């Protein structure tokens, strides 16, 4: 659905305004009502950092503990640019937690969360047990590796969580002999970042065009077609990577042969690659499963579309990739929007105030070349009758063309969002 930018800005203005009103309302009555109440946030990524920060901004009397297994976080957004050679390393995508914790009075605990006792309102970790009044879980994704026979992430890195896997895939690309093929295997939706695999194909093709003459990217997509920004990706591939990217729809990889550097489509058709980026099918982060938060699909966590409270376990909220957020894509921007709405309503629930209806936004940028990007944007609201989140009619739109201006917007977006998460 197309929408004029003017109309979108009007709507976005309305949504930003609503969020600001919510914040102002909370800030004017800084928190005595929440005094002594404890909120634990699990996961220091796109959702968790912002939820912890906004909880304390909205009610400074709350005790907020952020628990994350690592002492740093590496952003998946823009990690494809490292694979393409635009970024020299991952340092500009790496954040630490010290400033965020100090600036907002958040207690940061570096620990593995191992379990949740919903009945007793406690979280168990490698560093002890933490009680909560409300718990927010933002663990991101894990992989359904049991659906790929012979799965081995060392031989065929997914690089779908940024860090050592991303470095490994980049090393493999550098070491590859010119003329070899790179396979990218895309799982069925829903998965983290719908346009991400197609951006990755573009970035790897750019790298091959410059450094590995005669090499190709073969995209094996389990889906029947490109699932995001199709027209723009096809246009970009024609413009920059004709003969370098080969797109094959409806090719679900079910098996890998690490020694033979081959994958099997539906257990039958063998496809070989010099480098294979196998992105497995996905599910909510393991702790969401351990906490009994997943729904009947046994993969993702159903939530109330206004408060993000689990519909399975009381007083536990799930945000980001792990939750079922209706029409909102699984993106860092969505996780950020959900974190703010969730924090606002967790404060409201703790102090007995009325909750505020969801008004959220998402934009996903994708690079097609070193200088050109494209984007897709949408505004989202809760449909309480249906218990889901829907796109506001007429707001979901893609940018008109490949554009250097979109690339500048994207650069600015990543800088801003990482600063927001880390300070
Ligand atoms: C290649 C790629 C490109 C992308 N590009 C974009 C983009 O351009 N724009 C965009 O908006 N989105 C993009 N995304 C999607 C984005 O990365 C995710 O949607 C986002 O990270 C989801 O946020 P989250 O908070 O749910 O999970 P995460 O950001 O993954 O955070 C989860 C955190 O929880 C921690 N954790 C998990 N389990 C435990 C546990 N048991 N104990 C302690 N800690 C735990 C993890 O260590 C992690 O730090 C991209 C993704 C990929 C893979």
């Amino acid at each position: 659905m197309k929408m004029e930018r003017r109309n979108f800005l009007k709507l976005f203005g309305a949504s930003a305004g609503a969020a600001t009103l919510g914040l102002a309302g909370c800030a004017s009555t800084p928190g005595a009502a929440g005094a002594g109440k404890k909120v634990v946030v699990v996961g220091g990524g796109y959702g968790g950092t912002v939820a912890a920060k906004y909880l304390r901004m909205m009610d400074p009397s709350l005790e907020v503990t952020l628990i994350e297994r690592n002492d740093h976080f590496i952003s998946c957004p823009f990690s494809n640019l490292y694979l393409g050679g635009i970024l020299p390393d991952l340092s500009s995508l790496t954040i630490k937690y010290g400033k965020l914790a100090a600036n907002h009075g958040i207690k940061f605990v570096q620990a593995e969360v191992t379990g949740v006792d919903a009945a007793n309102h406690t979280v168990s970790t490698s560093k002890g047990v933490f009680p909560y009044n409300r718990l927010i879980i933002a663990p991101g994704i894990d992989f359904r590796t049991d659906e790929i026979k012979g799965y081995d992430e060392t031989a065929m890195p997914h690089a779908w969580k940024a860090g050592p896997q991303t470095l490994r895939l980049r090393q493999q690309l550098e070491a590859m002999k010119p003329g070899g093929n790179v396979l990218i295997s895309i799982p069925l939706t829903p998965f983290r970042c719908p346009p991400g695999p197609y951006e990755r194909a573009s970035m790897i093709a750019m790298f091959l065009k410059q450094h590995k003459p005669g090499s190709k990217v073969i995209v094996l997509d389990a889906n029947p077609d490109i699932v995001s920004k199709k027209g723009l990706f096809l246009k970009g591939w024609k413009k920059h990577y004709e003969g370098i990217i080969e797109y094959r729809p409806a090719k679900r990889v079910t098996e890998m042969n690490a020694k033979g550097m081959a994958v099997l489509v539906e257990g039958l058709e063998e496809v070989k690659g010099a480098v294979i980026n196998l992105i497995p099918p996905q599910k909510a982060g393991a702790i969401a499963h351990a906490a009994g938060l997943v729904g009947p699909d046994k993969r993702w966590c159903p939530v109330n579309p206004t408060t993000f409270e689990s519909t399975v376990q009381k007083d536990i909220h799930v945000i980001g990739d792990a939750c079922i957020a209706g029409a909102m894509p699984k993106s860092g921007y969505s996780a950020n929007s959900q974190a703010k709405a969730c924090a606002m309503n967790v404060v409201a629930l703790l102090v007995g105030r009325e909750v505020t209806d969801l008004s959220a936004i998402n934009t996903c940028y994708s690079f097609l070349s070193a200088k050109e990007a494209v984007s897709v944007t949408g505004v989202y609201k809760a449909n309480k009758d249906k218990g889901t989140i829907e796109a506001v009619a007429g707001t979901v739109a893609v940018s008109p063309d490949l554009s250097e201006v979109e690339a500048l917007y994207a650069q600015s977006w990543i800088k801003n969002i990482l600063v927001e998460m880390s300070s």
Side-chain angles (χ1 to χ4, degrees), residues 47-351:
T49 50
V50 173
K53 173 172 175 168
Y54 274 70
L55 283 165
R56 288 280 303 169
M57 280 166 58
M58 289 170 186
D59 188 342
S61 74
L62 289 178
E63 279 180 41
V64 176
T65 305
L66 173 62
I67 311 179
E68 160 61 46
R69 62 163 66 101
N70 298 310
D71 69 352
H72 67 284
F73 175 76
I74 304 177
S75 166
C76 282
F78 271 62
S79 62
N80 284 333
L81 278 67
Y82 168 68
L83 296 174
I86 299 174
L87 294 180
D89 52 43
L90 296 174
S91 59
S92 61
L93 305 181
T94 304
I95 60 166
K96 294 241 173 192
Y97 299 102
K99 244 205 252 175
L100 176 78
N103 286 352
H104 298 282
I106 297 164
K107 183 174 172 195
F108 176 74
V109 179
Q110 189 195 342
E112 180 74 25
V113 176
T114 50
V116 174
D117 182 341
N120 290 310
H121 283 60
T122 55
V123 170
S124 323
T125 78
S126 53
K127 292 199 181 139
V129 175
F130 294 81
Y132 64 81
N133 294 96
R134 293 253 166 193
L135 172 63
I136 300 179
I137 296 217
I141 54 152
D142 272 303
F143 300 108
R144 283 153 38 209
T145 51
D146 51 320
E147 293 178 28
I148 314 271
K149 207 169 150 194
Y151 185 74
D152 172 1
E153 71 171 29
T154 310
M156 300 181 193
H158 53 75
W160 220 240
K161 291 184 184 184
Q165 278 274 304
T166 323
L167 299 176
R168 184 164 183 83
L169 181 56
R170 167 83 198 175
Q171 280 158 4
Q172 290 184 347
L173 290 169
E174 278 169 359
M176 192 182 100
K177 287 199 187 111
N181 288 339
V182 178
L183 298 191
I184 301 179
S185 155
I186 306 175
L188 284 170
T189 57
F191 55 79
R192 156 176 282 186
C193 195
Y198 311 102
E199 178 188 61
R200 177 166 291 174
S202 313
M203 290 292 97
I204 292 180
M206 185 179 76
F207 173 81
L208 299 182
K209 193 173 167 180
Q210 285 168 0
H211 302 288
K212 308 283 171 181
S215 288
K216 277 202 320 197
V217 179
I218 297 174
V219 181
L220 299 176
D221 195 341
N223 299 287
D225 209 344
I226 293 174
V227 302
S228 177
K229 303 179 223 175
K230 178 184 168 188
L232 291 168
F233 278 116
L234 290 178
K235 193 168 183 182
W237 293 352
K238 196 166 169 45
K239 178 174 173 187
H240 294 293
Y241 312 117
E242 183 101 74
I244 299 179
I245 296 180
E246 187 181 319
Y247 178 74
R248 301 184 190 170
K251 299 285 182 191
R252 188 172 68 104
V253 167
T254 53
E255 196 171 330
M256 69 160 70
N257 169 359
K259 271 201 186 131
M261 281 308 279
V263 294
L264 284 179
V265 174
E266 301 294 353
L268 292 170
E269 180 191 345
E270 189 184 69
V271 189
K272 285 186 174 266
V275 172
I276 303 181
N277 170 213
L278 199 158
I279 305 166
Q282 293 157 34
K283 61 183 180 186
I287 189 62
H289 292 257
L293 294 165
V294 294
D297 70 358
K298 297 195 166 55
R299 293 175 186 167
W300 306 104
C301 306
V303 292
N304 174 303
T306 300
T307 61
F308 290 90
E309 183 168 359
S310 164
T311 55
V312 187
Q313 302 279 14
K314 214 175 147 351
D315 299 337
I316 303 180
H317 302 248
V318 186
I319 55 171
D321 287 352
C323 77
I324 299 173
M328 286 190 93
K330 294 189 185 301
S331 76
Y333 202 139
S334 292
N336 177 291
S337 291
Q338 293 163 7
K340 290 168 184 167
C342 177
M344 179 159 61
N345 283 331
V346 163
V347 170
L349 290 166
L350 283 172
V351 303

Side-chain angles (χ1 to χ4, degrees), residues 5 78 229 232 363-367 371-377 397-413:
R5 191 166 289 263
F78 271 62
K229 303 179 223 175
L232 291 168
T363 300
C364 279
Y365 297 98
S366 305
F367 278 77
K371 288 194 171 159
E372 295 162 313
V374 296
S375 67
V376 59
T377 290
V398 295
S399 55
D401 207 342
L402 278 68
S403 136
E404 294 193 11
V405 175
E406 289 289 333
L408 294 178
Y409 292 156
Q411 298 280 3
S412 156
W413 174 80

